[in-house]
Amino acid sequence: MTTIVRNLQLVRDRITTACVAAGRNPASVRLLAVSKTFGADAVIDAASDGQRAFGENYIGEGVEKILALRQQPALQALEWHCIGPVQGNKTRLVAEHFDWVQSVDRFKIAQRLSEQRPADLPPLQVCLQVNVDGGANKSGLAPEDVLALAKEIAQLPRLVLRGLMAIPEPAIDFVAACAVHTRTKALFDEINATGALPAPMDTLSMGMTADLEAAIHCGSTMVRIGTAIFGKR
């Protein structure tokens, strides 16, 4: 058993324990393995233990990895999420190679992704990034701007709006982490309750290695875990 496989199993145990504590079904939370800065071999190790969804922050690096791994028939079904900032000159790479993009925070970027998504690929799955705590160094929409952009993006072809993603500033403890995650969950529920979208959002991407328990307690449906699986960068 490799270190990565052992770590994966420990993370899955943490997710299950957190779900049980929150009175939730562990199957309601997806694990996204954040493989940024780690090579293809690390992804292969994780995939050998059944991990299928991987997140990349750096688009160029991610595309190189995707292209290399898709040469192997057993790895062609891996699901790739862009979770880093998307600049206008990188939208084509994202549209052509990734399955999800979780970091959309501007209509222009969404429009380019829609226009550049190849017709022979399934629609690109999209989350809106929310700067829920106003972190000065964080990308993302202000909470009050999310609904308007969600309605615009929901009308674009070749995209499917799936939900919200947040990367709040590190919290000092479980209670502080819950306070921030609760605000993201409330925004998610508020937008769905308006009935303004063609279909309700179903994905709330929040929680990383340090705060996955708090995120799950507050309703996360996808946790993005890098360090606890692959080690420190």
Side-chain angles (χ1 to χ4, degrees):
M1 181 186 296
T2 68
T3 298
I4 287 173
V5 168
R6 186 180 306 112
N7 289 345
L8 258 178
Q9 294 178 0
L10 292 172
V11 169
R12 290 172 182 147
D13 288 344
R14 284 179 64 186
I15 291 171
T16 297
T17 300
C19 285
V20 171
R24 298 180 59 190
N25 183 343
S28 67
V29 179
R30 295 188 66 198
L31 171 59
L32 181 67
V34 178
S35 47
K36 70 174 183 181
T37 76
F38 290 93
D41 287 348
V43 175
I44 291 170
D45 267 359
S48 74
D49 196 47
Q51 180 62 29
R52 287 293 174 265
F54 293 88
E56 293 285 330
N57 284 61
Y58 309 118
I59 293 167
E61 173 197 325
V63 169
E64 288 182 11
K65 212 175 297 181
I66 291 167
L67 290 173
L69 292 172
R70 281 183 176 160
Q71 299 302 312
Q72 303 184 40
L75 301 175
Q76 289 177 355
L78 296 184
E79 182 179 280
W80 293 95
H81 295 233
C82 176
I83 58 175
V86 181
Q87 302 300 322
N89 63 345
K90 296 292 181 67
T91 54
R92 186 173 297 278
L93 285 174
V94 174
E96 292 181 347
H97 297 287
F98 284 86
D99 303 295
W100 284 64
V101 54
Q102 297 199 20
S103 47
V104 173
D105 60 4
R106 287 174 287 159
F107 179 74
K108 184 62 177 179
I109 294 299
Q111 188 176 44
R112 290 174 65 93
L113 291 169
S114 173
E115 292 168 351
Q116 294 168 347
R117 182 66 169 175
D120 62 332
L121 293 180
L124 187 63
Q125 311 298 296
V126 171
C127 290
L128 301 184
Q129 183 173 350
V130 186
N131 187 354
V132 68
D133 57 355
N137 297 317
K138 299 292 184 183
S139 300
L141 293 152
E144 60 269 21
D145 296 331
V146 173
L147 178 57
L149 184 58
K151 290 191 289 188
E152 288 183 307
I153 288 178
Q155 303 303 316
L156 291 173
R158 312 297 302 144
L159 302 183
V160 175
L161 178 61
R162 295 295 298 271
L164 305 181
M165 183 268 266
I167 313 174
E169 297 290 340
I172 59 172
D173 56 26
F174 180 86
V175 173
C178 283
V180 178
H181 289 316
T182 296
R183 287 156 58 188
T184 310
K185 176 61 161 63
L187 178 64
F188 178 85
D189 290 341
E190 178 184 321
I191 291 172
N192 275 340
T194 66
L197 303 178
M201 299 183 296
D202 62 6
T203 299
L204 185 55
S205 175
M206 60 185 191
M208 298 184 287
T209 293
D211 65 346
L212 75 84
E213 285 84 3
I216 289 172
H217 178 80
C218 296
S220 174
T221 68
M222 183 183 294
V223 291
R224 309 179 306 274
I225 309 300
T227 301
I229 297 172
F230 297 107
K232 292 185 178 179
R233 295 174 174 82

